[in-house]
Structures are given as structure tokens and as C-alpha cells.
Amino acid sequence: MSRGIEAFIAGLPKAELHVHHVGSASPRVVAALAARYEGRTAVPADPEALAEYFTFTDFAHFIQVYLSVVDLIRDAEDVRALTYGVAEDMARQQIRYAELTVTPYSSVRRGIPDVAFMEAIEDARKSAERDFGVVLRWCFDIPGEAGLVSAEETARLALDVGAEGLVSFGLGGPEIGVPRPQFKPYFDRARAAGLHSVPHAGESTGPETVWDALRVLGAERIGHGTQSVKDPALMDYLGEHRIPLEVCPTSNLATRVVERIEEHPIRQMVDAGLLVTVNSDDPPMFGTDLNTEYAVAAKLLGLDAAGVAGLARNSVEASFLDQGGKTRLTGEIDAYLAGWERR
Ligand SMILES: [Zn+2]
């Protein structure tokens, strides 16, 4: 790949639709959190030592590091600092709009009062928009592995406590042993209250999980959906109904959903005419960021600048931004491309 496309991507205005709150904490953000708990955490507060700490040996190690970062989110100020820091890192990548997947259940269960939690993310959202021009919206997700108790609590936090920036309701965690249909009542309630349905599906289990997400949970977008390519009828359905897929290439490699990046089915998805969006999932934890994911996708798909701008437009189209916001951001992308091509 030419260096040119990387420079193009670095300046390209972008939206991100599949990225997790705690999983977005960069070594810089984690160092600041760790410094608050010096002597009471195994996480180093020195950025260089942290970079070492963030070098994963295997997936079990990733989980261990992820949980040690979760352990640094102990009060509402930590939540605010994390969210604001994540937005600052997004601004550096020219991310203008992000739907950030937040798992409020984890923080509230650990003792952060629900109202304080919501105030913290909302304060960070407003500050980030004012200071960096990054517009944040929330997807509250059920941590599937924590069962129906967490589903009930996430529905309560979304619908009874709520947050101004909340737009969607999700479902994350492992898919194996966590059937999607059991979460139907919670998705029904969330959808009735006007939230969009965006469950993870077809990441580590097959296309039937994507069907469940569509038919039972009313999914409007699919988190990952990597395995959809195994079912031609599903591919037709996704195409016909223009259901976007939130594709996260490096994440799929890190979690061994694909063995080699060259085997990633993004090409089949695009060739089938699906609305493919490119995302980073848990970027620092997977040693990536959104710009890198765009570069990976550009290489896999053989895209030039105009093609990459098309990917960026897909994310705007698939987002839950209002029409005015979509028109503005698409206009920014088009203007950037036109400027690039005039050089
Ligand atoms: Zn995810």
C-alpha cells in the first residue's frame, strides 16, 4: 500500500459505530487512571511500562489486561476521565462522531451510583463536543455473560435512569453458550422506548445467531456479523434490507475469528453489496485504532482514496445521526476527498 492512502486516512473525517468504552482506553488514558491508584493497582502508571503491559501474549492475557483496566474505573471521576480521554484520542484520528458502547452494568455493580455514572458520561460527552468537536452518542449494552440479571439492570439503567446521548441498546460478551433469544423482552422494551437495536452477532458463532438478532431482537445493525458470509440467504436479506455490518478486522484476527487477516470475509461482504462499516472494537487492546482499521480494509479491498471515502460515507449512512448531521458529515468527507484529488 502506498504511504499516500495512510496520509489520506489520517486526515479523513470519520464516524465510528462499534467501539467499546473501557476497551478504548489508550495507554495514555490508562496511565492517568493508574496514577490515581498508585500502590493499589498492578497497572503501571508510567506510559512506557504500560506499552509493555499492553503487549498481549494471547487472548487470555488480553482478558486479564482488560479486567485490570476495568478495575481502575472505581468512581464517577474515573468514568468521566476515561470518557473524555477516549474522545480526545478520537479527535486526533479525525473521528467526528462515535456511537460508543458503554456497559453501565459493570460500573454500577462495582458501586458507582447510577445517577453519578450517567452524569459523568454526559459531562464528558458535552465537554468533548465543546473542546474537540467530537460528537458522542451511547449504546448501552448487556454483558451477555452476566446473564439475565445484567439484562434487567441494563434495561433499567437505559430506560429508567437514562442519559441524554443514549441512542441504542446492545448485547456484547461471548456468543457461545449465550443464546440471543433469551434477551428478547429487554430488547422489546428498549425498542418500544425508541432505542435502536444493535446486538453483536455472528462474531464467534454462525449465521443463525445473526438471524436470531434480526428476527428476535429486531437488530437494525449487526455488531461484527463476520459469519454471515456462510449463509447466502442471510447475505441476500442483509443486502435487501440494507442492514449494516459493523466490521472490525483486527479484532477478528486478535480473537481468532479469522486465522489470517487475508482470510477476512470483508471482500465477500462488499462484493455482495452489503453496507459495510469499518470499526476498531477495543482498539488499544488489539494494538490498533480506527485509522489502522481503514488502512487494513483499504488493503484487503484494494481501495484508492475515493474508495476509502466511500467506506467513511457508509458509516455515516449506517449511523443514528439525524439527517442534518449526516448531510454535514458526508459533506465534510466529500470536501476532503475533492481537496485531496486536487493536490
Ligand atoms: Zn464489540
Side-chain angles (χ1 to χ4, degrees), residues 197-271:
S197 169
V198 289
H200 286 55
E203 177 186 10
S204 54
T205 59
E208 67 284 357
T209 313
V210 179
W211 281 120
D212 282 344
L214 293 165
R215 289 175 172 154
V216 185
L217 305 182
E220 292 163 70
R221 255 187 1 227
I222 302 291
H224 294 286
T226 318
Q227 311 294 333
S228 304
V229 291
K230 292 181 177 159
D231 181 346
L234 176 59
M235 294 292 276
D236 286 348
Y237 185 94
L238 294 169
E240 248 165 60
H241 296 265
R242 211 151 171 76
I243 307 275
L245 298 182
E246 301 159 4
V247 175
C248 313
T250 298
S251 162
N252 289 163
L253 186 65
T255 61
R256 311 202 68 173
V257 167
V258 296
E259 286 298 324
R260 296 167 56 245
I261 199 68
E262 294 76 16
E263 290 164 17
H264 197 284
I266 188 169
R267 166 119 242 164
Q268 284 159 269
M269 295 166 171
V270 169
D271 286 349

Side-chain angles (χ1 to χ4, degrees), residues 168-182:
S168 62
F169 197 71
L171 169 60
E175 289 174 32
I176 296 165
V178 187
R180 313 282 97 171
Q182 63 184 318

Side-chain angles (χ1 to χ4, degrees), residues 72-93:
L72 291 173
I73 316 297
R74 301 183 190 181
D75 63 25
E77 176 48 31
D78 298 333
V79 173
R80 199 204 60 75
L82 164 70
T83 315
Y84 187 76
V86 163
E88 189 173 8
D89 288 338
M90 286 177 168
R92 292 200 180 118
Q93 299 181 70

Side-chain angles (χ1 to χ4, degrees), residues 3 33 79:
R3 295 221 43 86
L33 289 169
V79 173

